[in-house]
Amino acid sequence: MNITIAGTGYVGLVTGVCLAELGHQVICSDIQEEKIAMLQSGRSPIYEPGLEDLLEKNVACGRLHFTTNSQYAYGNAEIIFIAVGTPEQQDGTANLAYVREVAYSIAQFMKNDVVVCTKSTVPVGTNDQISEIIHRHKPANLHAEVVANPEFLREGSAVVDFFYGDRIVIGTNCSKAAAIIEQIYLPLDIPIIKTDIKSAEMIKYAANAFLATKISFINEIAMICEKVGANIEEVTNGIGKDQRIGPYFLQAGIGYGGSCFPKDTKALVQLAGNNQHSFDLLKAVIEVNNRQASLPVSKAKEIIGSLKSKKVALLGLSFKPNTDDVRQAASLSIIKELLKEGAIIIAFDPIAISNALQVLGNTIEYTQDIRHALLHADVAIIATEWEEIKQIPLDFFELYMNKPIIIDGRNCYSLRGIRKHRITYISIGRPIVTNDYKKSETY
């Protein structure tokens, strides 16, 4: 089929590339000329494992095209996916300006009947607005159906999630449109859930809110573990075996970040408020998460006192591993607090430095060499659980740091392993390990 993707961010680009891989003719449209030029050359502007190889392959095969020309993008499309950003506004609501602009462009340039499929995360009722805009401005002799098709792609594993996801949600009251979208996804052999359009919109928000709630819940339990001397890893192992709970999203740490959870939880609270419901549980989830990012700095001050002129090795900049995305990353909050304390910061990240540089500028030093980051550092703070960080030989902390003190915001290392080294180790929800071990001890 002839498919157009509006927007080449994480969702749009992954969706377009993967649909081309399934054999469709795909045009990806964006207003940023630099980004489109980069994509036309076969290079991805974002880091996502496996994406660039598929991009190069499908550009070479002639199935994948990129453009800034809306007439070319929408003119002959049979299906159009809206995958533009819906950034958070000051009041917590989603900014739908880009979605509305795309809807208007579709109406202006469509030359045949189309199914418009919304992948962007939008508040309940938005697809009705999209439908209204298109029907108000489209040619009278053409027909357009709007379908809600929320995405469930995780940054860092988005390509895998596209081909091997848990479910596909198709929300529409038009059975013909539902059948067309279903046909696209049938080769994936993923369960397809058909709902009304508003339920599909709510499914996305409800899913993210529930996962965010699990994260904040386990972080609250971790705080209690620290106070009573329990180990959060033992606790999560015990409750995670319960099939009603499950082991996922129960990793204690310094909270969630990225482009989805922070924005979507706030948007759902706002949506509830706009409909005369106070979502108190989700408000607490957000409050707990906002607190978590401040833990590493407060723990560092407890162990070494003033951070003024102290060298801090910050390990990890992206909000999670296997992505270069730093939006709402815990690292940014940590860096802000450290700078207020007068610390000297050198940050390590294997992928996300260029994006962090756009946000932080030259207020800190950056490196892709872990040893350089640790050299003469007074404290190391782990903000992202990159495999490169989890695999650091613990000897490095002893060898390179002034005094090996680790504040681990992601619980990357086992306490058993740490105890074999002269390291002071402070993690989340687990006992503190000090460096006064005896070599004769058995572990």
Side-chain angles (χ1 to χ4, degrees):
M1 301 190 79
N2 292 327
I3 297 174
T4 288
I5 312 291
T8 58
Y10 282 88
V11 174
L13 186 56
V14 171
T15 300
V17 170
C18 292
L19 286 173
E21 179 67 10
L22 290 179
H24 299 285
Q25 284 290 325
V26 178
I27 297 173
C28 293
S29 174
D30 203 291
I31 60 174
Q32 297 183 40
E33 294 184 0
E34 276 188 30
K35 183 187 285 190
I36 291 300
M38 187 176 185
L39 289 164
Q40 286 171 337
S41 70
R43 294 179 298 127
S44 173
I46 60 173
Y47 176 79
E48 187 64 43
L51 181 62
E52 192 159 88
D53 289 342
L54 288 181
L55 191 156
E56 291 175 358
K57 173 186 174 184
N58 284 281
V59 167
C61 290
R63 289 193 295 263
L64 184 60
H65 312 272
F66 300 96
T67 187
T68 58
N69 186 319
S70 296
Q71 185 172 357
Y72 170 68
Y74 303 129
N76 295 309
E78 298 168 276
I79 299 170
I80 300 170
F81 286 90
I82 298 178
V84 294
T86 54
E88 177 188 341
Q89 300 187 109
Q90 284 190 344
D91 64 356
T93 58
N95 184 341
L96 300 176
Y98 301 123
V99 172
R100 295 190 184 101
E101 287 174 13
V102 170
Y104 177 76
S105 293
I106 291 170
Q108 186 178 8
F109 295 112
M110 60 186 284
K111 294 180 180 177
N112 44 253
D113 293 348
V114 295
V115 176
V116 177
C117 206
T118 307
K119 281 241 173 252
S120 300
T121 301
V122 295
V124 176
T126 302
N127 280 280
D128 289 342
Q129 296 178 34
I130 294 170
S131 181
E132 182 184 347
I133 291 170
I134 294 174
H135 282 87
R136 190 188 317 141
H137 298 286
K138 71 175 180 62
N141 62 321
L142 298 180
H143 185 71
E145 282 292 343
V146 176
V147 175
N149 178 219
E151 55 85 18
F152 303 100
L153 305 177
R154 297 167 298 170
E155 289 186 38
S157 58
V159 173
V160 172
D161 288 345
F162 181 93
F163 291 111
Y164 305 100
D166 297 319
R167 78 290 202 195
I168 292 162
V169 175
I170 299 173
T172 178
N173 297 322
C174 175
S175 58
K176 183 179 179 181
I180 291 171
I181 301 304
E182 182 179 22
Q183 198 64 33
I184 291 175
Y185 290 118
L186 282 178
L188 299 176
D189 196 28
I190 296 173
I192 293 176
I193 300 170
K194 296 179 184 177
T195 75
D196 63 88
I197 203 162
K198 290 185 177 180
S199 295
E201 291 170 324
M202 181 58 83
I203 284 170
K204 170 66 176 180
Y205 278 110
N208 280 356
F210 183 75
L211 295 175
T213 299
K214 289 188 76 172
I215 294 170
S216 283
F217 170 81
I218 206 62
N219 282 331
E220 283 286 76
I221 296 295
M223 294 301 98
I224 301 172
C225 285
E226 289 186 7
K227 294 179 185 299
V228 302
N231 185 330
I232 190 61
E233 289 185 335
E234 302 292 341
V235 175
T236 55
N237 182 53
I239 67 174
K241 299 297 184 187
D242 188 326
Q243 293 183 8
R244 296 168 301 175
I245 298 173
Y248 303 108
F249 285 81
L250 290 179
Q251 288 71 45
I254 50 177
Y256 58 77
S259 62
C260 292
F261 284 10
K263 174 174 68 72
D264 294 351
T265 49
K266 292 176 187 176
L268 186 52
V269 166
Q270 193 68 33
L271 177 67
N274 291 343
N275 288 275
Q276 293 75 53
H277 178 75
S278 179
F279 204 152
D280 296 334
L281 173 62
L282 198 53
K283 290 177 183 176
V285 167
I286 295 167
E287 183 181 344
V288 169
N289 194 69
N290 290 341
R291 179 200 67 201
Q292 290 301 112
S294 66
L295 290 179
V297 176
S298 61
K299 288 176 181 289
K301 289 169 67 177
E302 286 175 12
I303 197 73
I304 65 174
S306 172
L307 296 174
K308 186 174 178 60
S309 300
K310 293 290 194 300
K311 180 180 177 182
V312 178
L314 183 74
L315 306 184
L317 287 164
S318 59
F319 84 93
K320 64 182 288 191
N322 298 319
T323 179
D324 59 355
D325 196 348
V326 299
R327 286 176 289 181
Q328 299 294 316
S331 64
L332 302 184
S333 297
I334 294 169
I335 289 168
K336 184 178 180 180
E337 289 195 39
L338 288 172
L339 290 174
K340 282 184 179 178
E341 296 291 333
I344 301 165
I345 307 167
I346 179 166
F348 163 86
D349 195 284
I351 298 295
I353 288 175
S354 60
N355 283 343
L357 190 59
Q358 294 178 32
V359 178
L360 300 167
N362 294 318
T363 57
I364 66 171
E365 184 182 347
Y366 308 89
T367 183
Q368 290 184 308
D369 184 339
I370 288 177
R371 288 170 293 190
H372 180 62
L374 295 177
L375 187 63
H376 303 312
D378 297 293
V379 62
I381 295 177
I382 299 176
T384 314
E385 64 274 31
W386 280 99
E387 197 62 32
E388 290 88 339
I389 293 171
K390 293 164 72 173
Q391 296 301 321
I392 298 173
L394 294 176
D395 293 341
F396 279 18
F397 295 99
E398 296 176 280
L399 183 62
Y400 294 107
M401 295 182 69
N402 285 341
K403 187 176 182 181
I405 300 172
I406 303 172
I407 312 294
D408 188 351
R410 300 299 182 184
N411 292 358
C412 289
Y413 307 126
S414 73
L415 299 183
R416 179 183 292 269
I418 285 287
R419 289 192 180 104
K420 298 177 182 178
H421 296 267
R422 294 188 181 277
I423 293 172
T424 297
Y425 182 72
I426 303 168
S427 51
I428 307 296
R430 301 190 295 176
I432 294 174
V433 177
T434 55
N435 63 357
D436 57 348
Y437 78 100
K438 298 177 182 178
K439 288 181 182 277
S440 60
E441 290 183 29
T442 302
Y443 296 91

